[in-house]
Amino acid sequence: MMQIIDRAKEEKIPPIFRLAFRPFFIGAAVYAVVSIALWGLFWSGNTHISQLMYGNPLWWHSHEMLFGFAGAVIVGFLLTAVQTWTGQTGVKGAKLAFLFSLWLIARLGLIFSTPSYLWMIVDCAWIVVATIFLAIPIIRVKQWRNVFFIPVLMMFTLLNVKYHLMVLKVIPDDLKATALATLTIIAAVVLVVGGRVIPFFTSRGTKTATITRISVIEYAALIPIWILLIVTIYPGDVPSSLLAIVYIIAAVTNLVRFCRWRSIKTMRVPLLWSLHGAYLSLILGLAWLGGSYLNSNMSPTIGIHLIAIGGIGAMILAMMARVSLGHTGRKLQVGRWMTIAFISLFGSLLTRTLLVVLMPISVLDAYVISAILWVISFTIFTVIYFPVLTRARVDGYPG
């Protein structure tokens, strides 16, 4: 392994600030517990908790899951991966501590304060700073293959601005459309990154032949999601039937892509079947959203939560579990408790989607049960991985 960082300097940095995945993974996991615990309490009848939700529970839940939680993991992953992509030293030490502090202050502000321009600035600043940290090494070595992540984070920032302007009542409230656009950006990142790493992880983890990437299938799987992204960011009078077709094409092409990844062989490896289950959930969510444009009985919120809890939440949990082990020099194996965490999260998904469809009379109970299962899942991760993420690598390497 190339030692990019001088070991003497490395040892002066607290382990948690030696690579970006460390603070952002543990921070996101803790926040996943806190934010959904509050959400579950709110739906169980404790409506006074809305005071801890920026004064707007629906806005806060949507914003914090997309930007506060998922955004933190994406930034942590990208700022870690860029070191491998470019061979340049990753952000660490004081710079990383500053970036993480911006994220943390924004989260606290959006819990304990009320809407203001100050919190909009702080909450957008951490994404802007992260984008700069990501762009510098990519541009320096002309690593154009991964340059598209830079405009993705820029779009992410602009949508965050729009979210804040809505809650500040500067622009009309268009929460559903803005949330869908943000969700689509994150789904696009999952499809791109998942398509790269899941086949690789699978062939390595199952000790089988390399899973080749077929260009036609790769383009067919990714082009529809970029079309959807453009349509959702720049909404116009797009016919529902056309949107339905694009969503369904995205689902079908990604299912074809997914079917080549030997999912059956992963059933005994939790770090693998969790990734495969997350990707399949995203496909089902795309298909459901497509169907919702054709059939008014299909609630789009089911598709949104298939993607949000399964495609994004479960993918995040699985990726954090694997990346944290690999980048701290540990064996790529998890024990019984992390298996329970994976199962609990997929239980949260099924409760929020399938139970709501089959028993709509119990929708509030489903919300609360789903929240409990989510909290259990990320609490397990937090307890198990806190020492992993806050201590030095076990193999003595930097990072």
Side-chain angles (χ1 to χ4, degrees), residues 10 27 41-42 50 62 86 91 178 186 196 261 278 303 340 365 374:
E10 174 85 0
L41 287 169
F42 174 78
S50 63
S62 170
T86 64
V91 60
T178 309
I186 299 172
R196 292 182 185 181
W261 292 348
I340 293 172
D365 291 334
W374 171 286

Side-chain angles (χ1 to χ4, degrees), residues 4-5 17-25 71-92 95-100 103 125-138 146 149-150 153 193 323 327 399:
I4 300 172
I5 305 171
F17 292 122
R18 291 181 184 176
L19 268 180
F21 76 95
R22 289 176 173 272
F24 279 107
F25 282 12
V73 177
I74 290 170
V75 164
F77 175 83
L78 291 178
L79 291 181
T80 300
V82 74
Q83 179 170 288
T84 303
W85 297 339
T86 64
Q88 302 289 299
T89 301
V91 60
K92 64 184 186 298
K95 291 181 180 179
L96 179 56
F98 171 70
L99 176 61
F100 179 72
W103 172 84
W126 78 271
I127 308 175
V128 173
V129 173
T131 305
I132 294 170
F133 286 155
L134 179 68
I136 290 172
I138 290 177
N146 294 303
F149 286 113
I150 299 170
L153 287 182
V193 174
V323 170
H327 280 279

Side-chain angles (χ1 to χ4, degrees), residues 180 183 187 247 281-292 298-312 349 352-354 357:
L180 185 58
L183 188 76
Y247 271 110
S281 299
L282 198 155
I283 293 170
L284 293 173
L286 292 172
W288 188 282
L289 282 175
S292 71
M298 296 178 68
S299 170
T301 60
I302 298 298
I304 287 171
H305 283 87
L306 279 166
I307 295 173
I309 300 175
I312 296 172
L349 169 66
R352 181 58 185 81
T353 56
L354 186 61
V357 171

Side-chain angles (χ1 to χ4, degrees), residues 50-231:
S50 63
Q51 297 173 7
L52 299 177
M53 296 178 176
Y54 214 47
N56 190 321
L58 290 177
W59 181 96
W60 180 84
H61 172 65
S62 170
H63 180 274
E64 291 304 275
M65 286 296 95
L66 296 171
F67 293 95
F69 167 64
V73 177
I74 290 170
V75 164
F77 175 83
L78 291 178
L79 291 181
T80 300
V82 74
Q83 179 170 288
T84 303
W85 297 339
T86 64
Q88 302 289 299
T89 301
V91 60
K92 64 184 186 298
K95 291 181 180 179
L96 179 56
F98 171 70
L99 176 61
F100 179 72
S101 295
L102 283 177
W103 172 84
L104 181 59
I105 291 168
R107 305 287 65 79
L108 294 174
L110 268 62
I111 289 178
F112 295 110
S113 189
T114 55
S116 73
Y117 285 103
L118 171 64
W119 294 117
M120 181 181 80
I121 293 169
V122 175
D123 191 42
C124 292
W126 78 271
I127 308 175
V128 173
V129 173
T131 305
I132 294 170
F133 286 155
L134 179 68
I136 290 172
I138 290 177
I139 295 172
R140 180 179 292 157
V141 303
K142 300 178 181 179
Q143 229 272 348
W144 307 126
R145 178 171 181 257
N146 294 303
V147 76
F148 86 97
F149 286 113
I150 299 170
V152 163
L153 287 182
M154 291 170 66
M155 287 189 288
F156 200 59
T157 305
L158 292 175
L159 285 167
N160 196 16
V161 171
K162 185 177 180 181
Y163 254 93
H164 280 277
L165 292 178
M166 286 191 302
V167 79
L168 288 167
K169 302 187 187 306
V170 175
I171 61 175
D173 191 317
D174 194 14
L175 183 59
K176 181 180 177 182
T178 309
L180 185 58
T182 310
L183 188 76
T184 305
I185 284 183
I186 299 172
V189 172
V190 170
L191 289 175
V192 171
V193 174
R196 292 182 185 181
V197 303
I198 295 176
F200 174 72
F201 290 166
T202 300
S203 59
R204 291 284 296 271
T206 59
K207 296 181 173 59
T208 56
T210 300
I211 299 173
T212 56
R213 299 174 68 187
I214 299 174
S215 296
V216 173
I217 295 177
E218 295 299 304
Y219 284 119
L222 295 177
I223 288 175
I225 199 70
W226 294 118
I227 293 173
L228 288 171
L229 183 56
I230 293 170
V231 171

